[in-house]
């Protein structure tokens, strides 16, 4: 925790300005606490610029997020452990299995199930529900039967029999911002960080969705390279603006004396 000294107000006359000094020793383990105290001092003793207010707001947000860091690290470790058992997705961001294959975009999931040549539509059993799917042939055990990874829009889903030898099922996702890790619960999972949207389909998205997807792709790539995410870059830019507009803000050997100012 930053150790703060009492600031002293020099004696003043009606014509002389008041001088305030703020001294602190920076605790390397809690830089945000030091900076927050400094900003509190500024807000009490001077006019606060909009940038200063915004920066203080960001610091508070960072402190709140720091409380969840330990949980985040545990979650990251859990995901890394899960990845060891994950499969690399096929070229269509799904998986090719022995008796079926599935592919996906951010909006839809397509499932292909081979059936004996000459199969009629009346022989096909395809039950599509909000959170489950069953596909097979009448009188036989289902080829697919289970709970889906996420909910779907049943009214926008269809199936058809192609060339009397392939059942094709199209599912429309409710959540159009995330990749499915698996098709049915209990099935093999894919590494969604290796999923890639088709550039042509990305350009077809509405502006808001496209912006979100592009940000996700950028942050995903940055994390893989060990580089700052978009949020971290934004915070760094804000810090640079703050430092540029407050040149008296200095740091020397972690013992910082700053904001010696005269107040009219």
């Amino acid at each position: 925790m930053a150790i703060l000294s009492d600031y002293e107000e020099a004696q003043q006359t009606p014509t002389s300005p008041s001088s305030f000094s703020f001294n602190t020793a920076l605790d390397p383990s809690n830089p945000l606490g030091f900076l927050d105290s400094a900003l509190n001092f500024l807000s009490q003793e001077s006019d606060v610029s909009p940038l200063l207010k915004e920066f203080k707001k960001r610091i508070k947000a960072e402190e709140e997020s720091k409380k969840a860091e330990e949980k985040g690290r545990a979650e990251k470790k859990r995901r890394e452990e899960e990845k060891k058992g994950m499969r690399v997705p096929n070229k269509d961001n799904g998986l090719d299995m022995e008796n079926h294959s599935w592919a996906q975009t951010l909006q839809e999931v397509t499932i292909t199930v081979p059936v004996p040549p000459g199969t009629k539509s009346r022989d096909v059993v395809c039950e599509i529900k909000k959170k489950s799917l069953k596909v097979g042939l009448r009188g036989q055990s289902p080829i697919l039967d289970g709970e889906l990874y996420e909910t779907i829009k049943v009214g926008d889903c269809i199936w058809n029999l192609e060339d009397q030898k392939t059942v094709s099922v199209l599912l429309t996702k409710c959540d159009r911002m995330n990749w499915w890790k698996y098709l049915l619960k209990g099935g093999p999972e894919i590494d969604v960080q290796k999923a890639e949207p088709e550039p042509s389909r990305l350009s077809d998205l509405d502006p808001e969705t496209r912006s979100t997807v592009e940000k996700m792709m950028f942050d995903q790539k940055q994390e893989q390279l060990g580089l700052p995410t978009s949020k971290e870059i934004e915070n760094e830019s804000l810090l640079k603006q703050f430092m540029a507009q407050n040149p008296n803000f200095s740091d020397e050997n972690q013992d910082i004396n700053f904001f010696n100012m005269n107040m009219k």
Side-chain angles (χ1 to χ4, degrees), residues 47-222:
D47 293 332
V48 184
S49 67
L51 178 61
L52 187 60
K53 290 180 178 179
E54 177 63 21
F55 194 68
K56 185 175 180 180
K57 185 165 124 184
R58 289 297 181 91
I59 287 179
K60 184 177 180 181
E62 289 294 334
E63 287 179 332
E64 290 176 352
S65 66
K66 189 175 180 181
K67 296 177 182 178
E69 280 183 3
E70 184 175 348
K71 181 179 179 181
R73 284 193 297 268
E75 178 65 17
K76 183 178 180 181
K77 183 177 181 180
R78 183 187 67 79
R79 289 198 302 264
E80 289 175 350
E81 290 296 323
E82 287 182 348
K83 277 187 182 180
K84 295 178 181 178
M86 290 181 180
R87 302 189 186 184
V88 176
N90 59 24
K91 63 181 180 63
D92 296 314
N93 302 317
L95 277 179
D96 298 319
M97 307 299 292
E98 183 178 351
N99 60 357
H100 72 281
S101 64
W102 65 280
Q104 66 174 319
T105 64
L106 286 169
Q107 297 81 33
E108 302 169 340
V109 175
T110 303
I111 306 160
T112 303
V113 181
V115 292
T119 296
K120 305 294 184 182
S121 295
R122 62 175 177 270
D123 299 325
V124 177
V125 175
C126 186
E127 298 178 3
I128 303 174
K129 297 182 180 180
K130 187 175 182 179
K131 197 68 168 61
S132 65
L133 174 69
K134 179 189 288 188
V135 179
L137 298 175
R138 296 188 184 282
Q140 300 182 25
S141 298
I143 300 172
L144 294 173
D145 187 12
E147 181 180 341
L148 295 168
Y149 178 74
E150 280 287 357
T151 56
I152 57 174
K153 298 180 179 180
V154 178
D156 295 334
C157 299
I158 59 173
W159 72 271
N160 68 296
L161 179 64
E162 299 177 355
D163 300 326
Q164 295 186 316
K165 62 179 182 180
T166 303
V167 176
S168 179
V169 183
L170 177 65
L171 307 179
T172 301
K173 297 179 179 180
C174 288
D175 180 357
R176 310 178 78 180
M177 295 292 182
N178 295 300
W179 299 106
W180 283 18
K181 293 182 178 180
Y182 54 81
L183 178 61
L184 297 177
K185 186 175 182 179
E189 296 188 15
I190 63 170
D191 184 354
V192 293
Q193 288 195 355
K194 297 186 185 316
E196 297 182 0
E198 299 176 23
S200 58
R201 295 303 298 273
L202 186 60
S203 63
D204 293 338
L205 299 175
D206 62 83
E208 183 178 356
T209 303
R210 178 174 179 176
S211 176
T212 301
V213 172
E214 289 176 340
K215 181 177 179 295
M216 289 168 54
M217 293 172 62
F218 174 80
D219 288 344
Q220 178 177 303
K221 186 69 173 178
Q222 292 293 94

